[in-house]
């Protein structure tokens, strides 16, 4: 019999900073400083959460639903996945744990928030790197998580990570995967900003008419330059999965694979050519590379980006690197 924790984040505001919102508040913007109790503005569990809890209970699991409104409350849940004490004093996940975690997600940013806390909990400091940590990783095998999407699958290219991975969306099917399924291990992107990326990041912006704006940055993958920083860039995709594989009708990432141990990077650059009659034409050139690590160094101002659907701005060098097979999802 398993103990299953159904974890819901109190608000999508968690994603803005990679944690659970400013001031530790995670529920609709409420804060103690504003004189509001966060729980007064938090929603009750949504129907899919209740249905999944019922399905888990019917299959013999002991189920607890938790709504986390801060990073500290997420950490309290994750502590249940800890393994026994180690001789080196490190906190390590229990590979034989009888506790399983299901994350109810209204967005990929919410799932990322939980994985970010898992990394912070279990990643050892560089000065205490243990011998049993894989050479190509900075984190151990993170505990598998069940993913319960709270919204219907979207059609077209704007698919969430659960849809891209072919994970079940029906609450009963999610319950079955968590109790009887297998753990599918996936790559994780860490970055030197202290966060993680599950799907990908898209750097760049558009004007009010939807036309991409030009910006400049040095972009490299394992030392290979895709842009020197001298030419204009229309978009740059840092891909683990396929959420940012296209920009309109332009294919950026070619067959991204979230379990191949590599990050894929694409840079879209406008190239001016002239016809035989001397007429100027502009075509879009896409440069691609795969590797272990990627770096982007903006040359001027701030570059807007979306990272797992979360908005941000890049004003200094940012590096991403791959942690092969570091996290996992329960799948049928």
């Amino acid at each position: 019999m398993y103990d299953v924790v159904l974890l819901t984040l109190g608000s999508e505001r968690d994603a803005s900073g990679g944690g659970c919102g400013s001031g530790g508040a995670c529920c609709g913007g409420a804060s103690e400083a504003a004189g509001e109790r966060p729980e007064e503005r938090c929603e009750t569990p949504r129907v899919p959460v209740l249905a999944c809890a019922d399905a888990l209970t019917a299959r013999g699991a002991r189920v607890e639903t938790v709504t986390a409104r801060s990073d500290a409350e997420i950490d309290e849940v994750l502590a249940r996945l800890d393994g026994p004490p180690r001789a080196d004093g490190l906190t390590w996940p229990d590979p034989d744990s009888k506790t399983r975690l299901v994350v109810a997600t209204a967005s990929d940013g919410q799932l990322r928030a939980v994985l970010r806390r898992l990394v912070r909990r279990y990643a050892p400091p560089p000065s205490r790197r243990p011998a049993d940590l894989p050479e190509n990783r900075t984190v151990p095998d993170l505990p598998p998580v069940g993913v319960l999407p709270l919204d219907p699958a979207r059609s077209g290219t704007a698919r969430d990570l659960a849809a891209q991975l072919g994970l079940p969306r029906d609450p009963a099917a999610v319950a079955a995967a968590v109790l009887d399924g297998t753990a599918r291990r996936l790559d994780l992107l860490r970055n030197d900003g202290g966060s993680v990326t599950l799907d990908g990041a898209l750097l760049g912006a558009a004007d009010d008419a939807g036309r991409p704006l030009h910006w400049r940055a040095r972009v490299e993958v394992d030392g290979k330059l895709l842009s020197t920083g001298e030419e204009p860039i229309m978009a740059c995709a840092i891909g683990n999965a396929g959420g940012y594989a296209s920009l309109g009708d332009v294919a950026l990432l070619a067959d991204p694979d979230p379990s191949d141990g590599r990050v894929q990077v694409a840079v879209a650059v406008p190239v001016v050519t002239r016809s035989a009659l001397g007429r100027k034409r502009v075509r879009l050139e896409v440069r691609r590379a795969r590797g272990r690590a990627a770096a982007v160094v903006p040359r001027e101002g701030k570059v807007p980006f979306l990272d797992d659907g979360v908005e941000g701005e890049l004003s200094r060098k940012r590096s991403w690197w791959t942690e092969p097979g570091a996290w996992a999802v329960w799948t049928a």
Side-chain angles (χ1 to χ4, degrees):
M1 179 183 294
Y2 291 106
D3 293 312
V4 181
V5 181
L6 254 168
L7 176 62
T8 303
L9 301 190
S11 166
E12 289 192 78
R13 289 185 68 246
D14 67 276
S16 61
C20 253
S22 59
C26 196
C27 188
S31 68
E32 298 289 347
E36 299 178 79
R37 295 181 61 194
E39 51 267 33
E40 290 177 351
R41 295 182 61 180
C42 284
E43 67 275 10
T44 56
R46 290 173 59 173
V47 171
V49 176
L50 299 176
C52 189
D54 288 343
L56 288 164
T57 300
R59 297 176 65 90
R62 292 183 292 259
V63 182
E64 180 181 356
T65 59
V66 176
T67 299
R69 302 178 179 93
S70 67
D71 284 344
E73 292 182 352
I74 294 177
D75 293 343
E76 288 179 7
V77 171
L78 301 184
R80 307 183 196 191
L81 306 175
D82 290 355
R86 290 168 53 104
D88 56 15
L90 293 174
T91 301
W92 218 247
D94 184 356
D96 299 316
S97 176
K98 295 302 180 182
T99 298
R100 297 198 167 176
L101 175 65
V102 179
V103 182
T105 61
S107 68
D108 288 342
Q110 289 190 332
L111 181 60
R112 182 183 78 158
V114 175
L115 264 295
R116 180 174 178 264
R117 300 311 300 177
L118 275 173
V119 168
R120 284 179 173 252
R121 184 166 193 84
Y122 296 123
S127 60
R128 299 177 61 192
R129 182 182 177 89
D132 55 344
L133 188 64
E135 292 184 0
N136 61 350
R137 293 251 294 273
T138 65
V139 294
D141 284 354
L142 299 176
V145 298
V147 180
L148 174 63
L150 294 177
D151 297 319
R154 300 183 182 93
S155 59
T157 58
R159 299 190 302 159
D160 61 17
L161 190 59
Q164 293 180 57
L165 297 175
L167 300 181
R169 306 186 79 91
D170 177 75
V174 172
V178 169
L179 297 180
D180 303 323
T182 58
R184 176 184 174 187
R185 302 220 66 88
L186 301 163
D187 301 335
L188 180 72
L189 295 184
R190 293 191 67 184
N191 67 59
D192 56 5
S195 192
V196 300
T197 300
L198 308 180
D199 186 353
L202 181 65
L203 288 76
D207 60 20
D208 293 339
R211 294 183 295 263
L213 299 174
H214 294 175
W215 48 283
R216 287 175 169 80
R218 178 186 175 93
V219 182
E220 59 182 299
V221 182
D222 288 357
K224 177 182 178 180
L225 282 178
L226 295 183
S227 174
T228 63
E230 302 301 322
E231 56 198 334
I233 296 174
M234 296 180 68
C236 174
I238 312 288
N240 190 37
Y244 300 105
S246 300
L247 178 65
D249 296 329
V250 178
L252 295 178
L253 305 178
D255 300 321
D257 182 351
S259 58
D260 66 356
R262 296 183 296 172
V263 58
Q264 184 175 171
V265 181
V267 173
V269 178
V271 176
V272 178
T273 60
R274 292 188 179 277
S275 68
L277 299 178
R279 294 176 181 173
K280 186 171 67 174
R281 296 177 180 176
V282 178
R283 64 178 177 84
L284 199 60
E285 177 180 286
V286 180
R287 304 167 185 170
R288 303 180 180 91
R290 297 176 188 260
R292 174 72 196 279
V296 178
V297 185
R299 291 303 193 202
E300 52 192 20
K302 297 181 179 180
V303 180
F305 67 83
L306 287 175
D307 192 334
D308 284 343
V310 181
E311 295 181 356
E313 290 184 327
L314 194 63
S315 59
R316 62 185 67 181
K317 181 180 179 179
R318 175 63 49 83
S319 297
W320 289 261
W321 66 91
T322 306
E323 301 277 344
W327 75 293
V329 292
W330 291 112
T331 185

